[in-house]
Amino acid sequence: MTKRISEPDGNAIDVSDFTDKRLLVITPNYPNVDGSYFGSVFVKNQVDALKKYFREVIVIAPVLFSAGRFPDDRLCRDYTYDNVRVFYPRSLYIPWPVYRKLNISRMYFDTRASAVEALIQKENLEFDLVHAHFVWPSAQIAQELKKKYDVPPCVVTAHGYDVYELPFRDKIWQRRVESVLNSMDRIITVSKKNQACLEILCITTPPVTVIPNGFSEDLFYPQDRETCRKKLGLPLDKKSY
């Protein structure tokens, strides 16, 4: 039976061919098995919506080794649910807030790409499509994989600062981000504002699609205003700030 889903432009695409494919998701964060760490929960929400279309989804979220000082290093351990396998390879890098605080642009130390590559080799992971969340570091990791292997198509979702802030810090970061984006097969961003920022950069080949952030209809849906105000203890006859 043919399965079709709608793209933002209204066109329907056939996803029945995906059912025997493996999707690799690279993301800076991912919630752990019990939800005690919930970084980038929106990525998990998307994975949970997409997993039914794929044979398997492999999630790799590199974690900064901190001897347990940081929550993700302390709480995140590999796990599996449904047809999703989640990995947290430990790596070493200078966190973005440190770069930002010290206004460093030329210093660069990051083992996340090599940690992901080592994990792929160790686990003998195979995949047919790569979806990277955020241009840096995830799409940069996908770019490194693409250089070394005959990897499948790579898609990046550019969410925010990686579009409107990071590439405009200086020429070095701009060249890095442009190089990464031009190595992708498709670029997704979440707003027209981000799209406008991308148009300023030297993006030569990959098409850009705007797909706004979604939400779960099980959690968010229209409700009666008076009922909600009573439940929240808000006045019924005036605005509350």
Side-chain angles (χ1 to χ4, degrees), residues 27-173:
T27 175
N29 302 283
Y30 199 81
N32 67 349
V33 65
D34 63 2
S36 55
Y37 178 79
F38 51 86
S40 294
V41 66
F42 54 90
V43 177
K44 184 177 186 300
N45 291 340
Q46 186 184 86
V47 167
D48 290 345
L50 290 175
K51 65 185 180 181
K52 62 184 177 182
Y53 298 109
F54 290 90
R55 174 181 176 182
E56 183 180 46
V57 179
I58 301 164
V59 179
I60 303 181
V63 171
L64 173 63
F65 175 75
S66 66
R69 293 184 60 189
F70 296 146
D72 50 353
D73 187 26
R74 184 170 63 253
L75 299 172
C76 293
R77 298 293 181 270
D78 300 350
Y79 69 101
T80 300
Y81 68 100
D82 300 331
N83 62 330
V84 181
R85 299 168 67 188
V86 184
F87 297 94
Y88 301 99
R90 269 36 181 190
S91 57
L92 296 173
Y93 60 92
I94 299 173
W96 168 246
V98 175
Y99 274 113
R100 187 170 185 172
K101 184 176 181 179
L102 300 179
N103 196 28
I104 296 173
S105 63
R106 289 167 177 77
M107 185 171 146
Y108 182 64
F109 177 77
D110 195 336
T111 68
R112 283 175 287 191
S114 59
V116 170
E117 181 186 350
L119 172 70
I120 290 172
Q121 293 180 349
K122 177 183 176 182
E123 299 291 334
N124 195 28
L125 300 177
E126 297 181 356
F127 40 90
D128 303 287
L129 175 68
V130 179
H131 186 182
H133 284 273
F134 293 96
V135 176
W136 205 277
S138 300
Q140 185 267 334
I141 294 172
Q143 180 189 41
E144 292 299 316
L145 294 175
K146 208 168 188 180
K147 289 179 181 178
K148 292 191 174 184
Y149 305 102
D150 183 21
V151 296
C154 293
V155 178
V156 58
T157 294
H159 287 274
Y161 83 93
D162 54 331
V163 177
Y164 62 73
E165 179 180 344
L166 185 60
F168 301 105
R169 296 194 70 226
D170 58 35
K171 290 295 183 182
I172 293 176
W173 276 110

